[in-house]
Amino acid sequence: MIKPSVLLFALLISAPAWYRMLLDEVDLLQVLIRFLIAVPIAAVMLAGMRVVLSGYRKSDEAPPVRTEPLDTPEPGKTP
């Protein structure tokens, strides 16, 4: 399933073609082809951004807890 953010970004990428269609410089078929080409490009670009930004996400896991005793000398004794 294509995410709505991908379609919106593809629409943004192909916005100049949509504008040129309004001025009767480009056919509707060419604009739709450019939009269809923009969809996989937008998907790849947004997936790459998600991968990069996922490293900055906070993890829900608790930090590891030490279970072994610390090697501390007994009070009054020097190591």
Side-chain angles (χ1 to χ4, degrees):
M1 179 90 187
I2 298 175
K3 295 186 176 190
S5 59
V6 171
L7 294 176
L8 185 64
F9 190 53
L11 186 65
L12 184 68
I13 291 172
S14 64
W18 290 98
Y19 177 72
R20 288 181 59 199
M21 185 187 75
L22 291 176
L23 299 176
D24 282 336
E25 295 177 6
V26 179
D27 295 339
L28 177 63
L29 183 62
Q30 286 183 337
V31 173
L32 291 177
I33 290 172
R34 290 178 188 201
F35 177 73
L36 288 176
I37 291 171
V39 169
I41 293 171
V44 169
M45 290 175 71
L46 289 176
M49 189 184 323
R50 284 186 196 105
V51 167
V52 169
L53 294 178
S54 68
Y56 295 102
R57 190 173 298 149
K58 288 184 179 182
S59 66
D60 293 337
E61 298 176 5
V65 179
R66 288 184 72 151
T67 56
E68 69 265 0
L70 297 174
D71 293 334
T72 57
E74 294 179 20
K77 293 186 178 180
T78 58

